[in-house]
Amino acid sequence: MINSLHHRLGLFALIAGTAAGGLALNAQAATQMDFSNEYNASSIHAEGDAWFIQRVEELTDDELEITLHTGASLGFRSADHFYAVADNAVQIADTLSGTLGGIDPIFLLSSLPFLADDVESAKTLYEIARPEYEKVFSENNQVLLYASPWPASGIWSKGPVTDMEGLQDLKIRTYDRNGTEILRNAGAAPVKLSWADVVPQLATGGIEAVLTSAESGANGSFWEHLNDFSAIKYAIPLNMVHMNRDAFESLDASEQDAIMQAARETDAHNWEVVKERVAQNYATLESHDIAIHDPIPDAFRAGLEDAATPVVDNWLDNIGERGERILEDFDNAQAPQ
């Protein structure tokens, strides 16, 4: 009796599913894709990704549906994204560039210390280097869509860090190889951590300071653990938004055009938004009694730049001629006309 009932229920589910599938086919159901981001939904990157998704849906009349998963809810962090997208485990991802430095040193470019410390120069550097980024993604079954710039990285800490002495033996989180090397050179005790691990490590005392932007600290409610932010303007690192090539090529021509148009628009949008974000972040920090040290003392800046020189030299040794060409083009673009 029970087996017979289970059989009838299973048959009904099969018939219903087949019918539903036929209806969906007849209605030409929207193509669905997943988009992974390890940062909070209120972060500048997740908001930029949501803006991109909205434009895609507008341009395709909702025939292409993209679901954004923030906070690493799919189980992927930035370091996982490159191969997850290459394998189509997720179709699109927003990835902190420096976490891909082991794949190709080009991904460490945007976090080279004190190379580009304002939005305009960071954008120039990105535009010069974009063909190199695109090449690496293309060789790994992916399409580069757009970049998401961060506000400049600074140091969050429990007390003021405004000189080289304040860095000595400081257990500070870094986000890529460049930051780890420069802070080690400066006398700190850096620990490279994914964003998802930062707040838990702050809460347990595993770290006592964080290299990141005012933006990230505001999103992570760092005032629950830390009291100071020093705007060292170390770098304006990029996140890269990349898509599986097979998923892209499975779309019809009009949908591919919509994806790329939305990507171009989002690129321009993100670079404008980041300009406004620092003032907003500082207002939030001040409302939570965070002491903001901006600008930092010249002597502190000079000490950090000294610690940074070997990092840039090492990057050039690793990347070779193309890195030299990018930096030469960047220097030329920055020179007074």
Side-chain angles (χ1 to χ4, degrees):
M1 181 75 169
I2 293 175
N3 289 338
S4 176
L5 177 60
H6 284 174
H7 175 75
R8 289 198 300 272
L9 289 173
L11 182 61
F12 177 80
L14 177 62
I15 294 170
T18 302
L23 288 173
L25 182 63
N26 291 336
Q28 295 182 329
T31 301
Q32 298 182 345
M33 295 185 176
D34 290 313
F35 190 149
S36 179
N37 183 324
E38 77 166 307
Y39 296 92
N40 302 340
S42 60
S43 68
I44 191 172
H45 298 287
E47 289 181 357
D49 297 340
W51 197 91
F52 165 76
I53 290 169
Q54 181 178 343
R55 285 299 293 136
V56 170
E57 292 178 350
E58 291 168 351
L59 291 167
T60 62
D61 294 324
D62 295 326
E63 288 302 313
L64 184 54
E65 295 181 0
I66 302 172
T67 302
L68 180 61
H69 303 269
T70 59
S73 58
L74 288 180
F76 299 120
R77 301 181 182 183
S78 283
D80 308 315
H81 280 160
F82 191 84
Y83 293 113
V85 173
D87 294 339
N88 207 22
V90 63
Q91 288 70 55
I92 309 174
D94 189 328
T95 303
L96 179 62
S97 179
T99 63
L100 308 180
I103 292 167
D104 193 292
I106 190 63
F107 292 115
L108 292 167
L109 172 64
S110 68
S111 63
L112 285 179
F114 309 114
L115 180 62
D117 60 2
D118 62 65
V119 173
E120 291 302 331
S121 60
K123 184 179 181 184
T124 297
L125 183 62
Y126 161 64
E127 290 171 344
I128 290 170
R130 178 167 174 132
E132 293 294 335
Y133 294 130
E134 289 177 325
K135 181 180 178 182
V136 178
F137 282 116
S138 179
E139 290 172 348
N140 289 274
N141 198 40
Q142 298 174 64
V143 178
L144 174 61
L145 298 181
Y146 57 90
S148 297
W150 285 99
S153 301
I155 295 175
W156 283 81
S157 53
K158 294 182 178 180
V161 177
T162 55
D163 55 30
M164 297 299 288
E165 184 178 351
L167 287 175
Q168 301 310 299
D169 299 320
L170 184 70
K171 292 188 293 184
I172 182 169
R173 174 262 183 170
T174 61
Y175 49 78
D176 66 11
R177 185 191 310 163
N178 287 344
T180 303
E181 290 180 6
I182 182 178
L183 286 168
R184 184 179 294 121
N185 292 345
V191 180
K192 185 170 160 247
L193 291 174
S194 171
W195 174 251
D197 296 323
V198 172
V199 172
Q201 286 294 313
L202 281 173
T204 59
I207 55 174
E208 53 191 351
V210 181
L211 178 68
T212 194
S213 62
E215 161 78 16
S216 292
N219 273 282
S221 301
F222 277 11
W223 45 79
E224 296 177 0
H225 309 282
L226 305 172
N227 304 307
D228 290 73
F229 178 74
S230 296
I232 64 171
K233 297 182 181 178
Y234 159 81
I236 296 178
L238 300 181
N239 276 29
M240 300 289 173
V241 175
H242 46 117
M243 181 175 184
N244 177 270
R245 181 195 298 279
D246 296 332
F248 179 79
E249 293 181 349
S250 73
L251 304 174
D252 64 36
S254 64
E255 291 171 331
Q256 291 181 16
D257 289 344
I259 286 278
M260 298 314 294
Q261 179 180 336
R264 289 190 297 271
E265 293 177 4
T266 306
D267 217 331
H269 168 81
N270 287 348
W271 285 99
E272 287 303 311
V273 168
V274 76
K275 295 176 184 177
E276 307 165 1
R277 204 73 169 201
V278 172
Q280 297 170 5
N281 294 150
Y282 277 12
T284 300
L285 269 54
E286 288 170 352
S287 73
H288 290 278
D289 299 322
I290 296 295
I292 300 171
H293 309 284
D294 185 1
I296 60 171
D298 291 343
F300 187 28
R301 170 85 177 198
L304 290 169
E305 289 179 350
D306 286 344
T309 299
V311 176
V312 178
D313 292 343
N314 183 54
W315 181 80
L316 282 169
D317 288 342
N318 287 334
I319 198 169
E321 182 274 334
R322 60 185 171 138
E324 294 176 1
R325 175 171 40 81
I326 288 169
L327 294 191
E328 182 178 350
D329 290 347
F330 178 66
D331 286 341
N332 292 336
Q334 296 294 99
Q337 301 299 313

